[in-house]
Amino acid sequence: MGLMSGLRYALRIDNWSTLNYKPLFSDPTTGMPQRRAFPEAAAMWVPAEDERRLAAYKLFAAYDHNQAGELAEIRDGAEARERREYGDPSMFVDTLVSHVLGREQTITVPGAEHAGQDGQEPGDAAEAEMAARVQELLQEWADEELLPMRLLQAERKAVCLGDGVIHLWWDAEKQRPRITTYDPGFYFPVLGEDSDGTDFPTRVHFAWELPEDKKRGLPARLRRITYELDWIRPATASGVDRSGRPVRAPILSEATDDQPASPVLGRGDQVDAAGAISRMYPWSETPSYKTVYLTDGIWLLEDLKGEFDVDSLPLNKAHFTTNGQGEVLDRLDIYQDFISVIHMPNTVPEAGEHWGQSSLAKPLQVFDELAASDTDSARASGTTGLPMIAISGAADHRQQYSVGPGALFTLGENGRMTAVDTSSALRELREHAHDLADRAANVARLPAVALGTMDPSKVPSGYALELSLGPLDSNISAMRLARDHADRLIPKFVQRLFLAGQHPDWAGLKVMPAKLTRGPYTPTDKAAVLEQVTAAYTAHVISLETAVRMLQDAGWPIEDAQQEIEQIQARSFEAARQLADATGDTQLVADYLGVDINPGDSTAPTPQLPGVPADQSSPDPAQEGAEGSGGNTA
């Protein structure tokens, strides 16, 4: 962040400085958002460094919901409500979300495609089988948890606001990891002073205000959920303090004559020679000294007096909630050494920055100009449809005239009536609006073909279409690069949570390197891909596995690549004959075709010679030798 200040002006340069042109967002004297427009960002518990971030989220959300004029009314008065907003920012957001997500999303585990193949070493075969099993379980989880819908929710927040937040947690009742999408305005990570913005925070808060509920007699409150990675400590249990407030307290062993009461360790915990407590997690090969503590508390806003923020709320004023198992959520040990909160920035953060940038940030001024042009066009269309008329030389100058069908105007001598034609101005305004829409698309790197505003018949060739998608390709590549880490963390955290929950289907499995794969986002020429795959496979420059995977990526209806390969091989009789000629191994050929042979019938069939009866086709060897000898003698 850069800050240049003068006597009456402050220039603030940060991740949201593209919004500084709005007086609502950046006060000319302080550079901070106006509190009348953004009261939530100015709450006393919000850290000062998060005020501009929260105000930017609200501003982007207003544009997305066609409420920018309503927000501007706070400063510009009631006239700001006449602003025409036709959903252009929302269309841009929806288009980018669909492209960055792709047509489908699947979880893949490297090595799963080799399961069941012959010729592998025993260790490699077992590893491939485990990869296939993990991939199958992850895909089943994705179907049960409606993963594509959850990703769509997170992506829309990320593209529109600049940041998306996903939380994975173990549901003991459903016996599977659950996924929750949070609004980034509720997300408050505690970033260290030495952090470059990309490090995992060791403490994360989710906080929001609960409004007053007069029907239930509840005052205004603040709720905060905290996940903190800290050293493992002795076990605690749920209880109450002297005021009846639910809290957690250490569990002590029974005192004896020889030994006083001492704290009890948690299940599986051990104390080393230095007195530190360690724990072996099912996904780790070495003991860990860290665990994550969960705290869920509610504060009355009237009790928060003083210099407090979201990270320093007074715990003695909190009312801690209870989960479904009856555990008080006051630093509850959840037995995992990682915070399963995934921050998904929309763009690759700048050096030393943690937050992403909204896709609406740079073209926002163009959207303002576009709304102004639409407003002017709406006003001009009124004068075009109902033109202005000037009358001179009326017979009765006191008479009031109204323009309409069948109207009769009585004019005196040399009287004249003139109509003012404003259609040319309306035409110019509409052309100006089209130019602004093109400018916004260029700034957002969304070509007309991606927005669906280009006539397909005007595209000269497929190569020209591919060139026009160049800006979009680079844009989506950068956006997917910013999400690459999240795409790897989601299946990784899901596997760890299944192992921590001791789900029976995951017994004997380990955490495998997996990734959430996003499908193609541009139209694919299936015929061209098929031609390329056929030529490459025929020339023996790619394997059958690679060929099937390329067809699968191009959108061909192939659900299981390995099953498709087996079906292809089961009908490849010419390839089976070549395999038999090359190896002479009947069993290998049978495995290739996927058929069974009778191991008991190993004798070759008797050859049938032409012109010889079946009972004489195999004469006695001794007799055959005698006849041959006699014949030679003769």
Side-chain angles (χ1 to χ4, degrees):
M1 178 182 296
L3 182 62
M4 300 175 60
S5 59
L7 295 177
R8 301 185 58 185
Y9 182 75
L11 173 62
R12 186 178 293 269
I13 301 176
D14 58 8
N15 199 46
W16 303 277
S17 57
T18 52
L19 307 178
N20 284 351
Y21 76 96
K22 286 186 167 295
L24 270 179
F25 183 80
S26 181
D27 187 88
T29 57
T30 63
M32 298 299 291
Q34 291 191 9
R35 298 198 169 188
R36 289 183 59 243
F38 308 101
E40 306 87 357
M44 54 85 64
W45 56 271
V46 174
E49 59 270 18
D50 291 310
E51 187 172 347
R52 282 171 60 85
R53 175 173 68 92
L54 299 187
Y57 290 160
K58 183 176 181 179
L59 184 60
F60 288 133
Y63 275 85
D64 183 38
H65 292 83
N66 289 353
Q67 292 180 287
E70 184 177 345
L71 188 62
E73 183 185 6
I74 298 175
R75 180 181 182 274
D76 301 333
E79 294 182 357
R81 278 188 175 268
E82 298 180 5
R83 169 191 179 120
R84 294 294 191 272
E85 298 179 76
Y86 297 143
D88 294 278
S90 180
M91 179 192 65
F92 274 58
V93 170
D94 291 336
T95 302
L96 283 171
V97 167
S98 64
H99 287 330
V100 77
L101 270 178
R103 288 198 292 267
E104 69 271 339
Q105 304 82 41
T106 57
I107 297 179
T108 58
V109 179
E113 66 274 11
H114 301 302
Q117 292 183 357
D118 298 325
Q120 299 184 82
E121 295 293 333
D124 296 339
E127 192 78 7
E129 292 293 338
M130 182 180 293
R133 178 58 177 163
V134 170
Q135 178 175 279
E136 179 185 1
L137 291 174
L138 287 175
Q139 292 175 352
E140 291 178 359
W141 168 83
D143 292 338
E144 294 177 354
E145 197 55 26
L146 304 177
L147 181 61
M149 185 187 70
R150 304 298 182 189
L151 290 175
L152 179 60
Q153 294 173 343
E155 285 293 354
R156 212 179 188 290
K157 292 291 185 182
V159 173
C160 179
L161 306 182
D163 301 284
V165 181
I166 294 175
H167 177 221
L168 292 160
W169 51 282
W170 175 255
D171 190 337
E173 181 179 352
K174 294 185 177 295
Q175 285 293 297
R176 72 169 186 263
R178 303 295 305 279
I179 183 170
T180 304
T181 302
Y182 279 97
D183 189 292
F186 300 157
Y187 172 61
F188 296 90
V190 180
L191 303 174
E193 296 180 356
D194 299 332
S195 174
D196 65 349
T198 60
D199 297 333
F200 283 104
T202 59
R203 187 162 65 253
V204 170
H205 303 295
F206 292 103
W208 61 92
E209 290 189 10
L210 302 173
E212 180 183 3
D213 189 346
K214 295 183 178 180
K215 292 184 179 180
R216 300 171 58 190
L218 297 175
R221 295 148 293 154
L222 170 66
R223 183 178 181 183
R224 189 191 72 179
I225 302 175
T226 302
Y227 293 90
E228 183 177 7
L229 182 65
D230 203 353
W231 302 105
I232 300 176
R233 291 179 171 83
T236 59
S238 301
V240 294
D241 60 8
R242 295 180 179 179
S243 62
R245 189 171 59 106
V247 294
R248 299 192 69 83
I251 302 175
L252 300 178
S253 62
E254 294 184 4
T256 63
D257 296 337
D258 300 333
Q259 187 175 4
S262 60
V264 176
L265 299 180
R267 62 179 186 274
D269 294 350
Q270 295 181 350
V271 179
D272 61 11
I277 304 176
S278 64
R279 180 182 301 163
M280 182 65 73
Y281 292 100
W283 52 83
S284 179
E285 297 180 355
T286 58
S288 176
Y289 293 88
K290 295 292 188 72
T291 188
V292 173
Y293 295 97
L294 168 61
T295 303
D296 188 352
I298 297 178
W299 286 261
L300 299 179
L301 290 182
E302 60 187 20
D303 292 339
L304 298 179
K305 299 177 181 179
E307 298 296 330
F308 297 119
D309 62 15
V310 70
D311 190 47
S312 61
L313 297 176
L315 296 180
N316 59 343
K317 300 288 186 179
H319 178 82
F320 299 108
T321 61
T322 304
N323 63 10
Q325 289 72 42
E327 295 286 351
V328 177
L329 302 182
D330 173 19
R331 287 185 61 84
L332 173 65
D333 188 349
I334 60 177
Y335 280 80
Q336 62 186 55
D337 62 347
F338 61 97
I339 298 178
S340 53
V341 174
I342 301 174
H343 170 236
M344 187 171 61
N346 181 51
T347 58
V348 177
E350 297 182 3
E353 185 62 64
H354 180 77
W355 308 101
Q357 190 176 68
S358 169
S359 295
L360 299 179
K362 289 183 172 61
L364 202 63
Q365 293 194 49
V366 186
F367 287 133
D368 285 341
E369 294 290 337
L370 187 59
S373 178
D374 290 336
T375 304
D376 294 339
S377 297
R379 292 171 178 171
S381 63
T383 60
T384 301
L386 188 62
M388 296 177 290
I389 297 178
I391 299 178
S392 62
D396 185 1
H397 66 275
R398 292 174 298 179
Q399 181 179 356
Q400 298 292 330
Y401 296 94
S402 60
V403 179
L408 178 64
F409 301 93
T410 303
L411 304 179
E413 187 178 357
N414 299 325
R416 185 174 58 183
M417 183 174 65
T418 303
V420 180
D421 184 10
T422 61
S423 60
S424 59
L426 178 60
R427 189 181 309 109
E428 290 293 334
L429 286 172
R430 289 179 175 176
E431 292 179 358
H432 181 55
H434 287 305
D435 293 340
L436 290 174
D438 293 340
R439 173 69 67 85
N442 292 335
V443 173
R445 289 191 291 175
L446 274 176
V449 63
L451 290 171
T453 58
M454 175 182 287
D455 187 358
S457 62
K458 295 182 179 179
V459 180
S461 64
Y463 183 68
L465 177 62
E466 186 175 355
L467 287 178
S468 67
L469 290 173
L472 178 65
D473 291 339
S474 61
N475 188 21
I476 297 301
S477 297
M479 295 175 69
R480 289 191 173 184
L481 178 61
R483 293 154 172 78
D484 184 73
H485 200 193
D487 292 345
R488 298 177 187 273
L489 285 180
I490 290 175
K492 179 180 180 180
F493 286 171
V494 170
Q495 295 179 74
R496 288 186 173 186
L497 291 173
F498 265 121
L499 294 178
Q502 298 181 357
H503 196 282
D505 292 344
W506 288 77
L509 299 178
K510 66 178 183 179
V511 177
M512 303 289 291
K515 184 180 180 181
L516 176 68
T517 304
R518 302 167 185 254
Y521 57 91
T522 54
T524 305
D525 190 349
K526 295 183 180 180
V529 174
L530 177 61
E531 183 178 354
Q532 294 174 359
V533 169
T534 303
Y537 180 68
T538 305
H540 304 290
V541 296
I542 62 173
S543 64
L544 181 58
E545 289 80 4
T546 302
V548 172
R549 192 183 307 114
M550 291 175 62
L551 294 177
Q552 194 174 22
D553 293 340
W556 286 76
I558 301 175
E559 297 182 359
D560 190 333
Q562 183 60 33
Q563 182 180 1
E564 190 73 18
I565 292 172
E566 294 175 356
Q567 293 176 352
I568 294 174
Q569 291 179 344
R571 295 167 176 82
S572 301
F573 301 112
E574 180 63 23
R577 183 188 65 80
Q578 296 176 1
L579 180 62
D581 294 341
T583 63
D585 191 338
T586 306
Q587 184 62 44
L588 183 60
V589 175
D591 294 340
Y592 178 84
L593 293 174
V595 298
D596 296 329
I597 60 175
N598 185 7
D601 187 12
S602 58
T603 305
T606 303
Q608 179 67 38
L609 301 178
V612 180
D615 57 347
Q616 299 180 8
S617 59
S618 300
D620 183 69
Q623 182 179 359
E624 181 182 1
E627 292 177 355
S629 174
N632 292 335
T633 303

